[in-house]
Amino acid sequence: MPRSTSSPTKPMKSKLVGIFTCVALASSVQAALLFSDTFNYPNGNLTSVGNPPWYSHSSSGTQPIQVTNGMMQVRGLSGEDDSADFSATGYETNSGVVLYSSYTLVISNSVGLPNALGGYVSHFKNLANGSSFHARVFLSTSNYTTATAASPGNYFVGIGNGSLGNGSLAGSTAVVQWPSQLSVGTVYTVVTRCDLGNNQTSTLWINPASESDPSITATDFNDPTNQQAMASYAFRQNAGGGTNYIDNLKIGTAFTDFYAPLISSVANQSAPMNAAIGPIAFTVQDDVTPAVDLIVTNTTSNPSLIASVTFGGSGTNRDVTVTPAPGQQGSAVITIYVSDGV
């Protein structure tokens, strides 16, 4: 979340100048993203790009995951599995940290569908070539509980945990599936939560607007072999998993990392006494709420210095004008907030 963190500037000795510091903030508490990638790279191997870089954690060099037309292509074949680190050391069990992932998923045609048992396509993992996995997202064309096949052109998505094989066998308690089928050609936002407490649980949402939206949860059953520190996010190619296109990957420590509205920074400002500042341009945006519906407000650290703060513009492009109180000089921090009303 961009913001200015400069300290208020001391007033100049001249009585003709007033100085104001503006800070732009999102209205909700929002932790910083740990990692993000929009895959805007030339077509080619995923492991040749990224910052931090993507690397192979299994079957290196055999059949790498590809970047195709600005998306990650996780193909339906047995081959290289790739990951990127979001932590140098990882987040341990019972560390109090809860990890979240978000990405868009689309299967472009029925040829790319997974098979009946399918397999997992993404997950949190430990460093390097480790095999401690959590919040594994499974795709299949069979309902694991009822063994019912998906309708033509549809598939199932689920969440699994632990190290019980690939967890995709019919009737497996390691995977909990989303109650409705997903369709090829439709872009879905897949959000997962990995709770690093004892008996680690993993939760999945499809197209959520808030953390309280409907979700499904799987439990790790306190598997002692699967309790290593989570430090990276990984994608897996599986012969039964179908060919999937991934974009807009984000990893964070709060659900609001993905859904809180964003606001651009505003630089420090100064003006002669009795002169208004602005209009100063800034932008607002949100993944869910249209920009026209976002609400901007403000507070000031020195109300006696400021006569008014007024907002203009519309949609994404907004502006602010600051008018000082007559005959006053000094400094103030004016904080600008953006809210989606939630």
Side-chain angles (χ1 to χ4, degrees), residues 19-67:
I19 296 177
F20 310 91
T21 299
C22 293
V23 182
L25 297 174
S27 62
S28 56
V29 177
Q30 182 175 5
L33 287 174
L34 299 175
F35 176 79
S36 65
D37 202 332
T38 57
F39 305 104
N40 289 323
Y41 311 115
N43 291 353
N45 293 345
L46 179 66
T47 50
S48 65
V49 297
N51 184 25
W54 290 90
Y55 61 89
S56 169
H57 66 265
S58 71
S59 303
S60 178
T62 56
Q63 293 172 312
I65 291 176
Q66 298 292 296
V67 174

Side-chain angles (χ1 to χ4, degrees), residues 58-78:
S58 71
S59 303
S60 178
T62 56
Q63 293 172 312
I65 291 176
Q66 298 292 296
V67 174
T68 303
N69 298 324
M71 294 182 288
M72 177 196 292
Q73 183 190 45
V74 182
R75 295 173 290 175
L77 47 79
S78 295

Side-chain angles (χ1 to χ4, degrees), residues 59-147:
S59 303
S60 178
T62 56
Q63 293 172 312
I65 291 176
Q66 298 292 296
V67 174
T68 303
N69 298 324
M71 294 182 288
M72 177 196 292
Q73 183 190 45
V74 182
R75 295 173 290 175
L77 47 79
S78 295
E80 182 175 291
D81 302 336
D82 297 333
S83 55
D85 297 337
F86 55 76
S87 170
T89 58
Y91 296 94
E92 299 281 355
T93 300
N94 293 328
S95 63
V97 174
V98 178
L99 297 170
Y100 293 79
S101 74
S102 174
Y103 57 79
T104 59
L105 165 70
V106 61
I107 297 178
S108 61
N109 57 67
S110 59
V111 177
L113 282 167
N115 62 24
L117 294 182
Y120 60 91
V121 66
S122 68
H123 55 87
F124 288 97
K125 65 177 282 290
N126 53 327
L127 289 170
N129 296 323
S131 58
S132 186
F133 302 160
H134 289 292
R136 294 192 287 183
V137 176
F138 286 78
L139 304 177
S140 72
T141 50
S142 176
N143 183 300
Y144 294 156
T145 302
T146 65

Side-chain angles (χ1 to χ4, degrees), residues 7-325:
S7 300
T9 309
K10 291 183 179 179
M12 299 174 65
K13 290 184 178 179
S14 169
K15 293 184 179 179
L16 297 179
V17 177
I19 296 177
F20 310 91
T21 299
C22 293
V23 182
L25 297 174
S27 62
S28 56
V29 177
Q30 182 175 5
L33 287 174
L34 299 175
F35 176 79
S36 65
D37 202 332
T38 57
F39 305 104
N40 289 323
Y41 311 115
N43 291 353
N45 293 345
L46 179 66
T47 50
S48 65
V49 297
N51 184 25
W54 290 90
Y55 61 89
S56 169
H57 66 265
S58 71
S59 303
S60 178
T62 56
Q63 293 172 312
I65 291 176
Q66 298 292 296
V67 174
T68 303
N69 298 324
M71 294 182 288
M72 177 196 292
Q73 183 190 45
V74 182
R75 295 173 290 175
L77 47 79
S78 295
E80 182 175 291
D81 302 336
D82 297 333
S83 55
D85 297 337
F86 55 76
S87 170
T89 58
Y91 296 94
E92 299 281 355
T93 300
N94 293 328
S95 63
V97 174
V98 178
L99 297 170
Y100 293 79
S101 74
S102 174
Y103 57 79
T104 59
L105 165 70
V106 61
I107 297 178
S108 61
N109 57 67
S110 59
V111 177
L113 282 167
N115 62 24
L117 294 182
Y120 60 91
V121 66
S122 68
H123 55 87
F124 288 97
K125 65 177 282 290
N126 53 327
L127 289 170
N129 296 323
S131 58
S132 186
F133 302 160
H134 289 292
R136 294 192 287 183
V137 176
F138 286 78
L139 304 177
S140 72
T141 50
S142 176
N143 183 300
Y144 294 156
T145 302
T146 65
T148 302
S151 302
N154 286 3
Y155 60 98
F156 292 95
V157 62
I159 189 78
N161 237 338
S163 56
L164 305 176
N166 70 5
S168 62
L169 298 177
S172 171
T173 57
V175 178
V176 179
Q177 288 180 303
W178 191 252
S180 56
Q181 301 176 30
L182 278 57
S183 302
V184 298
T186 300
V187 179
Y188 297 96
T189 298
V190 178
V191 177
T192 72
R193 179 179 66 202
C194 174
D195 188 338
L196 295 173
N198 199 20
N199 284 328
Q200 294 182 351
T201 60
S202 295
T203 300
L204 178 141
W205 295 261
I206 300 296
N207 295 336
S210 69
E211 195 162 3
S212 61
D213 281 358
S215 62
I216 55 176
T217 297
T219 304
D220 187 27
F221 304 113
N222 197 26
D223 178 0
T225 69
N226 198 43
Q227 301 296 315
Q228 298 181 46
M230 296 293 98
S232 63
Y233 202 76
F235 289 88
R236 179 176 188 254
Q237 295 191 129
N238 184 313
T243 299
N244 314 289
Y245 294 88
I246 308 293
D247 204 357
N248 299 315
L249 172 65
K250 302 173 186 176
I251 307 297
T253 57
F255 190 94
T256 51
D257 288 348
F258 312 140
Y259 292 101
L262 301 177
I263 186 169
S264 64
S265 61
V266 178
N268 289 356
Q269 307 288 325
S270 63
M273 183 179 291
N274 298 324
I277 296 178
I280 307 164
F282 63 94
T283 60
V284 296
Q285 66 182 64
D286 187 73
D287 289 339
V288 177
T289 304
V292 68
D293 294 328
L294 296 176
I295 304 162
V296 289
T297 57
N298 76 94
T299 59
T300 176
S301 66
N302 190 352
S304 63
L305 182 64
I306 306 300
S308 66
V309 177
T310 56
F311 294 104
S314 62
T316 298
N317 300 306
R318 308 295 182 95
D319 60 64
V320 59
T321 300
V322 179
T323 303

